[in-house]
């Protein structure tokens, strides 16, 4: 492991601990693992390019291309994308790095810092939801036009606790895309494009199994 | 071809025209072709994941993963990403779809619409460059944290005509990333991370050759 802010984990050779078992191993982030599981057994079965976004204590984004999580210099941290603010909004945001990036506006701790109430207990008609919806629509707009996913799966505690949120974000995404290009193929079926996860709390452990299967297949190839 | 705004090209079966030659064929966007060429022979040789951005009459973004241009529902149109405005700026932008998306703020026609002067003739110290730099830094910030490219190549007429622009955008990107994660590995070498193209005007034709070689290799596999 490299470059983690988690105390004690910096430069820990995690995969070394498993060397004694002499089997193929894989390592990935929690959100990427959940994405791989949804791709094999869940809401993204059969898709080539898709994304899994979790909005909870942070905003995590996994991107899968051809059954593998996308990685370059490292893994995606697209929850820290910068997006336009809701016009007139001046709250500085809650991200220690960027202030009002998507995570700084829409993650659970940001919502609680702004309103004093945990996201799950915040009334549906609280005005703070407007900026959450706006920030997430900006993130999904940018994901659609960058990764061009066939589907985006949205999970995490904030969505799980607020049934109103997914349809609101679906509508805001269509408004933001403004009919552009791929939007033409998303408009009539946005409920099938931006969807809830199928595997729920099992996506993490199933993701570990998906990773292990991939490591085994890679070792055999 | 599907879903193009170019008159007369909607639903034209372009590859059909080449069927009589009975050879493998490939089709991709101009910016993706240039990206593939830079990956084989130019500024991204040997890299697994990189991006090629052109800022000219529009803002085009090609993304290459493992020698192939990334595509899902279609090709990326990440020049239409939504990013934060420069604080205090109220110009509505020039994109007919989104107004103040990146292309609506930073492409050549946007600069000319705003200032009345072609981008190449606009003085280096004109205040309009501030918003161009800010919008492009937002795009590169989002690309870094989403695609996590090992390098971003930046070309096109607007950069070609303004030598000041690349170093300004390099600095603005570091400010925007604010030391987060991968930024730690970009900071000491941003001049090698955000770079000019190596192939110049030849990238288009070399890109077509790269595409043809890929089609040939795919047919043989």
């Amino acid at each position: 492991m490299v470059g983690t802010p988690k105390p004690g984990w910096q430069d820990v050779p995690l995969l070394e601990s498993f060397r004694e078992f002499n089997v193929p191993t894989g390592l990935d982030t929690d959100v990427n693992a959940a994405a791989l599981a949804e791709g094999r057994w869940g809401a993204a079965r059969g898709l080539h390019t898709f994304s899994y976004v979790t909005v909870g204590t942070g905003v995590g984004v996994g991107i899968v291309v051809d059954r593998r999580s996308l990685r370059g210099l490292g893994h995606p941290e697209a929850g820290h994308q910068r997006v336009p603010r809701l016009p007139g909004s001046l709250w500085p945001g809650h991200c220690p790095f960027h202030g009002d990036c998507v995570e700084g506006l829409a993650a659970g701790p940001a919502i609680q810092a702004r309103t004093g109430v945990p996201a799950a207990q915040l009334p549906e008609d609280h005005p703070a939801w407007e900026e959450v919806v706006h920030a997430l629509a900006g993130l999904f707009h940018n994901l659609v036009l960058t990764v061009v996913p066939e589907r985006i799966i949205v999970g995490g505690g904030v969505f799980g606790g607020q049934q109103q949120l997914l349809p609101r974000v679906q509508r805001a995404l269509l408004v933001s895309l403004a009919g552009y290009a791929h939007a033409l193929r998303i408009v009539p079926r946005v409920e099938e494009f931006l969807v809830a996860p199928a595997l729920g709390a099992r996506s993490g452990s199933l993701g570990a199994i998906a990773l292990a299967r991939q490591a085994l297949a890679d070792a055999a190839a």
Side-chain angles (χ1 to χ4, degrees), chain A:
Chain A
M1 304 197 78
V2 292
T4 172
K6 309 286 187 299
W9 284 100
Q10 181 88 31
D11 294 324
V12 169
L14 193 60
L15 286 180
E16 290 288 309
S17 331
F18 299 98
R19 182 168 280 186
E20 61 177 294
F21 299 109
N22 199 28
V23 293
T25 51
L27 181 65
D28 213 330
T29 63
D30 50 356
V31 64
N32 274 338
L36 292 170
E38 290 286 346
R40 274 190 188 257
W41 301 292
R45 246 177 307 178
L47 301 184
H48 182 270
T49 306
F50 65 92
S51 183
Y52 178 100
V53 178
T54 171
V55 184
T57 54
V59 176
V61 176
I63 298 164
V64 174
V65 178
D66 200 12
R67 297 203 149 212
R68 290 179 189 271
S69 51
L70 178 66
R71 55 185 304 119
L73 272 186
H75 61 270
E77 291 278 1
H80 291 270
Q81 278 202 16
R82 292 194 184 273
V83 294
R85 294 298 299 272
L86 194 65
S89 177
L90 294 172
W91 190 61
H94 194 62
C95 173
F97 294 97
H98 310 119
D100 60 356
C101 65
V102 176
E103 180 165 310
L105 293 170
I111 296 168
Q112 181 155 4
R114 185 169 194 171
T115 64
V117 179
Q121 291 161 34
L122 196 65
E124 285 193 14
D125 59 354
H126 193 288
W129 289 118
E130 278 178 52
E131 181 133 38
V132 172
V133 168
H134 190 264
L136 291 173
L139 171 63
F140 294 139
H141 173 112
N142 290 347
L143 280 178
V144 165
L145 294 180
T146 305
V147 179
V148 215
E150 296 162 86
R151 185 168 290 155
I152 299 176
I153 302 168
V154 197
V158 171
F159 273 83
Q162 292 281 344
Q163 299 304 312
Q164 50 137 348
L165 211 47
L166 186 56
R168 283 182 70 175
V169 173
Q170 286 168 340
R171 287 192 296 272
L173 172 61
L174 293 185
V175 171
S176 181
L177 287 171
Y180 190 73
H182 316 298
L184 302 172
R185 295 157 70 188
I186 296 172
V187 172
R189 51 175 196 89
V190 69
E191 300 85 359
E192 296 161 33
F193 178 78
L194 197 66
V195 304
L199 304 174
R202 297 162 65 215
S203 66
S205 42
L206 287 171
I209 294 172
L211 257 180
R213 286 175 62 148
Q214 191 177 82
L216 206 57
D218 287 351

